Amino acid sequence: MVRYGIIVSMLMAVLCCITACQQGPNSYLRTPRAVRFQPVRSPLVVRTVTKLAREVNIKVRIVPPNARSRRGSKPLNPRFITIHSTANHSPTSTAMQHSRALCNGAIRDRSWHFTVDQFMCVQNLPLTESAWHAGTPAGNYNSIGIEMCECENRGSNHFRTWDRTAKLTALLMRRYGINLRRVVPHYHWTRKNCPAPLLTNGRPGPKWAWFHSRIDYYYRCINQGQSFR
Ligand SMILES: [Zn+2]
């Protein structure tokens, strides 16, 4: 009886192993690693602006000029970068899906410049034009708005979305001469709990500091190791 039990346990172990192996090379996507929010201390991987832009994977899909979300918009004076998170957990709420909603008028009372998910970044507006995202005129007219997706599906990995956003932000800092202190959460303008996943008890805390450290890391990667704070 004991021997029978041992044989059954061995068979179960073999079966578990086979099942795990069948998940294939992308199985890590189903169990995203826990983010520890430790500041980045990795050695710099120097790259060109072009290389970093390629990593961000920017698709340009500008909202039609006659769309309601673009009516009456004023010129943008890009002195800040404002980070948002969509708080939309629908499995299909990807960057491209948000872009479609902006283009077809399903989203009409808000707008922003870039939408980022774990695979790509979609530019929705020209960077000469202000958008409606910050909740105050100062925030809207003086900042580039970036929305990070929060879609929840089998392969979702929010770390990748935050990391892609950090790369995009570093590129924009360099292009417009914006220092890291002017990379702000939506909270900065209105005290809204946004981007919620990167705030702590609704305010900038250790997670926000971690996000800043990633932006600073990528900025240094394209600027001979120099920070811009
Ligand atoms: Zn927001």
Side-chain angles (χ1 to χ4, degrees), residues 82-86 133-134 146-147 185-187 190 192-195:
T82 303
I83 308 292
H84 303 263
S85 197
T86 60
H133 60 94
I146 303 177
E147 280 281 0
H186 186 179
Y187 172 92
T190 60
K192 183 178 177 181
N193 181 13
C194 177

Side-chain angles (χ1 to χ4, degrees), residues 28-29 32-33 35 118 151 153 155-162:
Y28 66 92
L29 285 176
R33 66 189 166 103
V35 178
Q118 71 184 76
C151 41
N153 52 48
S156 62
N157 183 329
H158 300 317
F159 170 82
R160 292 177 172 212
T161 302
W162 303 334

Side-chain angles (χ1 to χ4, degrees), residues 20 31 129 145-146 183 186:
T31 49
E129 189 173 311
I146 303 177
V183 175
H186 186 179

Side-chain angles (χ1 to χ4, degrees), residues 19-221:
T19 313
C21 295
Q22 279 175 341
Q23 287 184 351
N26 290 331
S27 60
Y28 66 92
L29 285 176
R30 288 168 209 158
T31 49
R33 66 189 166 103
V35 178
R36 292 174 60 217
F37 296 108
Q38 297 290 323
V40 183
R41 293 204 177 86
S42 330
L44 285 191
V45 179
V46 175
R47 55 263 248 192
T48 61
V49 167
T50 310
K51 168 88 170 46
L52 191 63
R54 217 177 294 133
E55 290 172 30
V56 176
N57 190 18
I58 303 171
K59 313 280 182 201
V60 179
R61 197 180 154 113
I62 302 294
V63 175
N66 58 353
R68 189 166 152 185
S69 61
R70 284 185 69 181
R71 277 185 216 159
S73 56
K74 295 196 163 46
L76 175 67
N77 180 16
R79 295 168 53 233
F80 290 82
I81 298 168
T82 303
I83 308 292
H84 303 263
S85 197
T86 60
N88 180 352
H89 303 295
S90 148
T92 55
S93 59
T94 60
M96 202 44 95
Q97 191 58 33
H98 278 92
S99 167
R100 267 185 219 113
L102 283 168
C103 288
N104 68 20
I107 297 175
R108 49 178 60 195
D109 51 352
R110 285 174 300 135
S111 59
W112 57 92
H113 297 91
F114 295 96
T115 317
V116 183
D117 67 19
Q118 71 184 76
F119 299 111
M120 68 175 75
C121 161
V122 183
Q123 182 180 352
N124 309 302
L125 289 175
L127 294 173
T128 50
E129 189 173 311
S130 63
W132 309 107
H133 60 94
T136 67
N140 288 334
Y141 301 150
N142 296 295
S143 77
I144 298 170
I146 303 177
E147 280 281 0
M148 303 186 296
C149 294
E150 290 188 52
C151 41
E152 295 283 358
N153 52 48
R154 235 176 131 187
S156 62
N157 183 329
H158 300 317
F159 170 82
R160 292 177 172 212
T161 302
W162 303 334
D163 194 55
R164 190 176 301 280
T165 307
K167 291 177 178 179
L168 170 68
T169 305
L171 288 168
L172 293 169
M173 282 172 61
R174 173 162 159 146
R175 179 162 165 194
Y176 292 100
I178 298 170
N179 70 40
L180 192 58
R181 277 174 286 122
R182 291 192 166 186
V183 175
V184 295
H186 186 179
Y187 172 92
H188 171 84
W189 304 107
T190 60
R191 298 295 179 262
K192 183 178 177 181
N193 181 13
C194 177
L198 294 182
L199 300 184
T200 306
N201 299 322
R203 298 160 152 261
K207 293 180 194 171
W208 184 254
W210 168 85
F211 182 62
H212 257 197
S213 82
R214 291 204 82 78
I215 298 168
D216 180 58
Y217 172 77
Y218 289 120
Y219 187 89
R220 286 185 287 121
C221 288

